Amino acid sequence: MAAFWQTLFSSNFIPHGHCYLWKPGLVWLHIISDSLIAVAYYSIPLMLVYFVRQRRDLPFDWIFLLFGTFIIACGTTHVIEVWTLWHPHYWISGLVKALTAAVSLYTAVMLVALIPKALALPSPAQLEITNRKLEMEIWERLKAEEKIRFQARLLDVVEQAVIATDLKGIVSYWNQFAEKLYGWSAAEALGRDIVELIPSELSQTQAAELMSQLSTGESWSGEFMVRHRNGRSFPVLVTDSPIHDERGILCGVVGLSFDISDRKLAEERLRQSEERFRSYFELSFIGVAITSPEKGWIEVNDTFCELLGYSRNELIGTTWAQLTHPEDLEVDLNHYNRVLKGEIDAYSLEKRYIRSDGDIIYTNILVRCLRRSDRSIDYFVALLEDITDRVRANDALRQSEARYKELAQQEELINRLASQIRNSLDLDTILETAVQEIGKLLQIDRCLFIWLRFVPSVNGENESIMWEIVKEAKHPDLESRIGVYPLQEQFSPLVEKLLNLEIIRADDVETLTDPILQQVLRFLGHTSMLDLPFKTQFGQIGIVNCSHTKGFRPWRDSEVELLQAVTDQLAIAINQAELYAQSQKATKIAQAQAEQIAQALQKLQQTQAQLIQSEKMSGLGQLVAGIAHEINNPVSFIHGNINHATGYIQDLLSLVKLYQQYYPKPVKEIEDKIEEIDLDFLLTDLPKLLSSMKVGTDRIRQIVLSLRNFSRLDEAEMKPVDIHEGIDNTLLILQHRFKENAARPSIKLDKNYGKLPLVECYPGQINQVFMNILSNAIDAIEHLKFAGVETLKESIPTICIRTEVANDSVQISIIDNGPGITEEIRHKLFDPFFTTKPVGKGTGLGLSITYQIVVEKHAGKIECISVPGKGAEFVVQIPIRR
């Protein structure tokens, strides 16, 4: 047994990977392919098992499980293929394949035996045909049952009692209405004699007639009294029909009956109504007439004759159309024709009749037609009410209401103008409101407001008069007349009257007795005109002009009174507006002077602050330049001698090494000294010390050069400058602020320089711009820690500098990931003395001076883009050439 297992797991063979020469691509191709095949093979049996468990009614379900076993065995062979790439267990591989072969053969044999049984199963098409036949039989049976139930429901919903009996009178069917009509339920009535259930007063004659007609196969219908189960008698209408069997022999009777008590009662009431109608017709206080479809009078009562002033015989010989007022006849005929067409059966209207004496009476008439069973008209009934007194009273009331409405509109116009004067002292608004409201109220073609202006002549001796039309309300088809017009000589009589504040009123220009005025108004195109002049307390003459251009227009006294009230209100408004305008003018002058003083003071403060800042920067620049010069001389001396000192020391060290080489055994004193000074360490450390000194002097020289370049005291004029050099010099000076401190980690600097040409600018001032913006960015990042917006351990503080060419300018973007700037603060950033820093931390001049350097001195642009919590970006654009 041990030998079997040893043979089974023998590794004396070469792994399969050697066949692929261990080429990674080929090896991985086989690994991935075999693995995917194995996964697919293992997943298929799971689906088959799930399918068999869900469909337990499935025949031959064992074949699915056998297929699953076969597929699992196949998947295992692919797993072994992957295993033998590294492990040469080919006996296990062969054993798995043998097992797979056995399962495959067994599955094939079982499948051969299963095929005939599977083919014997009905096909889906055969099953579908069988199902359809069963469904059709079930549907036909349900349809027949539904038809029977429907017929039964029909008999139950019939509003008549349906009763079936045999020839002996035994009840075989009794519907629901029969239960309601006679009081017996179907269960009680079935099988009993109809005579016992429904006692009746059927006469012998009726009984004989009934049997005679039923025997001949005809139906019988008749009325007689029957008795309810509770003993109440009532009339019914019965219709009996014979029932024949398959051989045509009479075998029973089916009867339909219903209560006709209401009909009998209605017939009695109709008779009584006809009698009452006759009495009402003759004694009515309103006119009643019956007319034919041909409009002729058939019958009229006495009141009708009295209203029209004709006798009954005279009216019957005429038609109602002959006595109708001609203006009302068309409306009446339209309604009448709609009745003839069958669209309506009745109508009412107010119409006028011409009496026999020629007087006109107003009536309210109601007409209704009575139709025969074939919908043809039998006759018309007309009710006539005299409303002459009411119509005349309504006319008088309407006239009174129109007068009061006119007065109310006039009062409303006056109130609106007065309210406009109180709410607005704007003269244009007041005048515009006045002409628009007058034109709308009086419904005139044109309403103008005119100023009579006195214009001095050139020599100053005489004055000329000008018409100035300032506001206008007109019909859309008319041309505008707004403008200034010189006074023509022919207008002198008209102007003279207006200067005397006389009202000019012309209802019809053609009927004027003054030929000069008539000629002037014709020249102006007026057919009717009304002018109302007034004078303000400042001596101005204003005119409200109302006119028509077609037809005459009578001006009522009430309208003239209205316009006089309007002109009085306008005079008050103009006086107030003039006073208000004068006060506004004085106020504006005072405000302008105050604004000028405030602007001068603000400019003075800005200039003073800029001078102080410029003086500070100039002094700082001189100090920096002086310090740089003083440091540069000794540093240059040290830097220049370090190279020589390095050479000398190297020579000495070489000499010491030669001594050690040729005199390895020095005297005791030299050995002690060598040990004391640690000669080996000195030989290795001294060159490093000299190298560090050289790096330090290089650093000092670079800082001195950056200080000199930053101050630019020798470059007060504009010159081509490398912007990147200025940025780098500024960063070098601020380098200590980028380093890590106790409050935050070091600030990461991300420089993304584009290819920039030389830019004409003031180098020192541009460096100051970079210094101010970068200093503010560092302050913002340090503020982020203290503000608690986000701990710096979770976000690396970063400043990004990006440069590029934008059109004819260079664009420098300085971006930080600080706390950002709110919209309210962003609009105030470049204002002088505005700062968000604590007292003593900032002057509020840095960004203000930056704005002036970029915008005013270099004709550039500076913009701040920021979202609170997402940092800030300052974008500076400087023209390449000036």
Side-chain angles (χ1 to χ4, degrees):
M1 190 65 181
F4 171 77
W5 289 109
Q6 184 176 3
T7 302
L8 188 64
F9 289 97
S10 174
S11 300
N12 296 328
F13 305 101
I14 298 174
H16 204 180
H18 287 285
C19 298
Y20 304 142
L21 302 180
W22 293 109
K23 290 186 177 181
L26 185 58
V27 170
W28 279 109
L29 176 62
H30 281 271
I31 291 172
I32 293 173
S33 300
D34 286 325
S35 298
L36 292 177
I37 293 172
V39 170
Y41 276 175
Y42 286 150
S43 62
I44 292 174
L46 294 177
M47 297 298 102
L48 292 175
V49 170
Y50 175 79
F51 178 72
V52 170
R53 289 179 61 86
Q54 294 297 319
R55 291 293 305 272
R56 295 186 180 276
D57 59 335
L58 192 69
F60 317 122
D61 55 350
W62 53 270
I63 193 65
F64 291 95
L65 299 178
L66 193 59
F67 269 118
T69 305
F70 163 66
I71 293 171
I72 289 175
C74 291
T76 305
T77 61
H78 287 276
V79 174
I80 295 299
E81 286 294 323
V82 176
W83 175 262
T84 57
L85 287 174
W86 292 279
H87 307 283
H89 297 151
Y90 295 120
W91 283 105
I92 296 177
S93 176
L95 183 62
V96 171
K97 289 182 178 179
L99 179 63
T100 303
V103 173
S104 302
L105 289 173
Y106 182 74
T107 302
V109 171
M110 296 305 296
L111 187 61
V112 169
L114 181 65
I115 290 297
K117 298 179 181 180
L119 291 175
L121 293 175
S123 66
Q126 293 173 337
L127 291 175
E128 184 177 1
I129 293 173
T130 302
N131 288 336
R132 286 181 179 177
K133 289 180 178 180
L134 290 175
E135 290 175 356
M136 184 62 69
E137 291 177 1
I138 293 172
W139 183 80
E140 290 178 352
R141 180 174 297 177
L142 291 175
K143 186 176 179 182
E145 293 176 355
E146 180 62 25
K147 184 176 181 181
I148 294 172
R149 286 194 296 269
F150 177 73
Q151 292 174 349
R153 286 197 301 270
L154 284 180
L155 292 177
D156 282 335
V157 299
V158 170
E159 292 295 325
Q160 293 186 21
V162 180
I163 301 172
T165 66
D166 58 13
L167 295 179
K168 296 180 179 180
I170 304 302
V171 175
S172 60
Y173 180 78
W174 188 278
N175 74 342
Q176 292 182 2
F177 195 84
E179 294 179 351
K180 178 180 177 182
L181 183 63
Y182 298 112
W184 299 93
S185 67
E188 295 172 329
L190 293 178
R192 296 183 60 181
D193 192 340
I194 187 68
V195 177
E196 297 178 2
L197 297 174
I198 311 175
S200 64
E201 299 179 3
L202 184 66
S203 63
Q204 293 181 352
T205 303
Q206 289 177 318
E209 182 182 354
L210 167 62
M211 295 307 298
S212 173
Q213 291 187 358
L214 291 178
S215 62
T216 59
E218 298 180 359
S219 297
W220 175 86
S221 180
E223 298 178 5
F224 51 86
M225 297 295 292
V226 296
R227 194 161 55 248
H228 191 270
R229 182 178 184 178
N230 59 14
R232 177 179 60 86
S233 296
F234 57 93
V236 294
L237 174 63
V238 177
T239 301
D240 288 334
S241 300
I243 301 176
H244 299 88
D245 59 14
E246 294 82 356
R247 297 172 296 175
I249 300 174
L250 180 66
C251 62
V253 178
V254 59
L256 303 179
S257 60
F258 61 93
D259 188 354
I260 59 173
S261 300
D262 293 339
R263 194 186 75 182
K264 291 292 186 180
L265 181 61
E267 291 175 353
E268 177 61 22
R269 289 176 178 175
L270 178 61
R271 184 187 62 76
Q272 296 175 0
S273 176
E274 288 178 350
E275 293 179 356
R276 285 195 300 271
F277 174 76
R278 173 55 59 182
S279 62
Y280 293 157
F281 181 82
E282 296 297 340
L283 302 176
S284 176
F285 291 101
I286 62 174
V288 182
I290 299 175
T291 63
S292 66
E294 292 77 23
K295 308 183 188 67
W297 308 104
I298 298 176
E299 185 65 53
V300 295
N301 67 351
D302 294 339
T303 305
F304 196 91
C305 295
E306 293 176 2
L307 289 175
L308 298 183
Y310 292 93
S311 66
R312 182 177 277 104
N313 293 331
E314 290 174 334
L315 287 175
I316 291 176
T318 60
T319 64
W320 54 262
Q322 293 174 303
L323 304 181
T324 301
H325 193 282
E327 295 179 2
D328 298 337
L329 182 59
E330 182 178 358
V331 176
D332 200 352
L333 288 176
N334 289 336
H335 290 294
Y336 173 77
N337 290 329
R338 291 185 63 193
V339 175
L340 294 181
K341 294 177 182 178
E343 297 178 2
I344 56 175
D345 289 332
Y347 66 90
S348 64
L349 75 158
E350 293 184 1
K351 61 181 287 188
R352 290 166 290 179
Y353 282 101
I354 302 176
R355 286 173 48 87
S356 60
D357 55 9
D359 289 343
I360 295 175
I361 64 168
Y362 293 84
T363 63
N364 185 11
I365 183 171
L366 173 63
V367 179
R368 175 173 292 278
C369 75
L370 279 80
R371 298 183 183 274
R372 303 183 183 93
S373 59
D374 59 356
R375 296 292 296 167
S376 63
I377 297 176
D378 190 5
Y379 58 87
F380 289 88
V381 177
L383 304 180
L384 195 69
E385 179 185 5
D386 185 3
I387 59 172
T388 304
D389 295 338
R390 188 179 71 190
V391 169
R392 290 173 180 170
N394 289 337
D395 289 341
L397 179 61
R398 280 194 295 270
Q399 293 176 0
S400 176
E401 288 178 349
R403 174 59 180 163
Y404 285 125
K405 183 177 180 181
E406 181 181 354
L407 293 175
Q409 290 175 341
Q410 295 175 1
E411 185 68 22
E412 182 182 1
L413 174 59
I414 299 297
N415 292 336
R416 276 202 300 272
L417 290 176
S419 176
Q420 187 70 43
I421 293 169
R422 289 192 298 271
N423 296 331
S424 173
L425 293 176
D426 180 47
L427 184 57
D428 286 342
T429 303
I430 295 171
L431 295 179
E432 179 69 27
T433 302
V435 297
Q436 293 294 339
E437 293 292 344
I438 292 172
K440 187 188 302 181
L441 178 63
L442 301 184
Q443 297 295 307
I444 54 180
D445 291 345
R446 193 193 303 269
C447 180
L448 305 175
F449 184 84
I450 307 170
W451 288 112
L452 281 183
R453 302 291 191 188
F454 296 91
V455 182
S457 60
V458 178
N459 54 19
E461 295 179 357
N462 298 320
E463 290 183 333
S464 60
I465 300 178
M466 307 288 287
W467 301 87
E468 183 181 2
I469 303 175
V470 294
K471 296 296 175 183
E472 177 182 49
K474 66 179 184 65
H475 191 276
D477 295 337
L478 299 179
E479 294 182 358
S480 176
R481 289 187 175 177
I482 292 180
V484 180
Y485 304 92
L487 177 63
Q488 299 181 13
E489 185 177 355
Q490 58 185 350
F491 292 160
S492 298
L494 178 62
V495 172
E496 184 177 353
K497 290 185 177 183
L498 295 174
L499 291 175
N500 293 329
L501 303 181
E502 295 182 18
I503 296 176
I504 300 176
R505 178 176 177 178
D507 294 345
D508 188 356
V509 172
E510 300 302 325
T511 61
L512 288 176
T513 57
D514 186 344
I516 298 177
L517 181 59
Q518 186 181 57
Q519 182 181 2
V520 170
L521 296 182
R522 285 175 178 173
F523 176 80
L524 294 174
H526 297 328
T527 58
S528 178
M529 189 192 75
L530 178 63
D531 277 350
L532 287 92
F534 64 92
K535 190 173 185 180
T536 68
Q537 73 180 57
F538 296 98
Q540 296 174 305
I541 301 295
I543 305 167
V544 176
N545 172 268
C546 302
S547 63
H548 258 278
T549 57
K550 293 181 180 180
F552 73 95
R553 204 285 192 184
W555 305 101
R556 299 192 299 272
D557 293 339
S558 60
E559 294 174 341
V560 176
E561 293 174 1
L562 168 66
L563 294 180
Q564 285 179 326
V566 170
T567 55
D568 292 341
Q569 292 290 334
L570 286 177
I572 296 172
I574 292 170
N575 292 334
Q576 293 181 355
E578 186 66 27
L579 292 172
Y580 178 71
Q582 292 179 0
S583 65
Q584 287 290 97
K585 185 176 181 181
T587 302
K588 288 181 180 178
I589 293 173
Q591 289 177 348
Q593 293 174 348
E595 290 177 0
Q596 291 175 358
I597 294 172
Q599 291 174 0
L601 179 59
Q602 184 179 9
K603 188 172 183 181
L604 179 61
Q605 290 175 342
Q606 293 179 7
T607 304
Q608 183 181 9
Q610 292 169 10
L611 288 174
I612 295 172
Q613 186 70 11
S614 299
E615 189 65 27
K616 286 181 179 180
M617 293 303 296
S618 177
L620 180 61
Q622 292 177 0
L623 176 61
V624 169
I627 293 173
H629 178 72
E630 293 299 327
I631 294 175
N632 188 54
N633 289 334
V635 169
S636 298
F637 174 77
I638 296 171
H639 184 75
N641 289 327
I642 283 178
N643 292 329
H644 299 294
T646 301
Y648 299 154
I649 291 173
Q650 290 293 339
D651 293 339
L652 291 174
L653 294 177
S654 298
L655 181 60
V656 171
K657 290 180 180 180
L658 286 174
Y659 269 103
Q660 288 178 336
Q661 181 178 357
Y662 293 103
Y663 299 97
K665 296 295 183 178
V667 297
K668 184 71 166 65
E669 289 84 357
I670 293 175
E671 288 182 352
D672 294 339
K673 191 64 176 178
I674 289 172
E675 185 176 356
E676 179 183 352
I677 66 175
D678 193 359
L679 181 60
D680 292 337
F681 173 75
L682 190 146
L683 291 175
T684 57
D685 189 59
L686 186 57
K688 296 179 181 178
L689 180 63
L690 291 174
S691 177
S692 298
M693 292 173 63
K694 188 175 185 303
V695 171
T697 56
D698 288 339
R699 175 66 176 159
I700 294 173
R701 291 185 65 198
Q702 187 179 5
I703 292 174
V704 170
L705 181 60
S706 297
L707 289 173
R708 292 182 61 188
N709 290 337
F710 181 78
S711 62
R712 300 279 189 173
L713 291 178
D714 56 340
E715 299 177 6
E717 299 296 331
M718 295 189 73
K719 60 177 291 186
V721 173
D722 184 358
I723 294 296
H724 293 159
E725 182 182 354
I727 297 174
D728 291 337
N729 290 332
T730 306
L731 291 172
L732 185 60
I733 294 172
L734 294 174
Q735 187 173 11
H736 68 285
R737 297 197 63 187
F738 283 82
K739 295 180 180 180
E740 181 179 359
N741 55 38
R744 58 163 175 78
S746 61
I747 298 175
K748 179 183 176 183
L749 180 62
D750 184 7
K751 295 194 294 185
N752 186 8
Y753 288 171
K755 187 176 181 180
L756 301 184
L758 297 180
V759 179
E760 290 186 359
C761 63
Y762 297 101
Q765 294 180 2
I766 292 299
N767 289 342
Q768 185 179 354
V769 169
F770 298 148
M771 174 67 75
N772 291 338
I773 296 177
L774 285 169
S775 296
N776 283 342
I778 296 172
D779 291 341
I781 289 176
E782 291 180 345
H783 175 72
L784 181 65
K785 172 64 170 63
F786 302 127
V789 177
E790 184 178 17
T791 60
L792 293 174
K793 293 181 180 179
E794 298 175 357
S795 176
I796 300 176
T798 304
I799 293 178
C800 177
I801 303 175
R802 184 173 63 247
T803 63
E804 59 184 336
V805 176
N807 297 327
D808 295 331
S809 303
V810 295
Q811 179 172 300
I812 304 100
S813 301
I814 300 175
I815 309 165
D816 66 75
N817 62 346
I821 303 171
T822 63
E823 189 70 14
E824 180 181 2
I825 294 176
R826 192 174 68 84
H827 289 297
K828 302 178 182 179
L829 277 179
F830 303 109
D831 294 347
F833 308 108
F834 176 78
T835 180
T836 59
K837 299 177 182 177
V839 177
K841 293 292 185 179
T843 61
L845 293 173
L847 289 179
S848 175
I849 293 173
T850 297
Y851 181 84
Q852 292 181 352
I853 291 173
V854 174
V855 177
E856 298 179 6
K857 293 189 177 182
H858 289 83
K861 298 179 182 178
I862 183 169
E863 179 185 9
C864 175
I865 304 170
S866 178
V867 176
K870 296 186 179 180
E873 176 182 1
F874 282 84
V875 181
V876 178
Q877 288 187 351
I878 303 173
I880 298 174
R881 297 285 184 271
R882 291 293 302 275

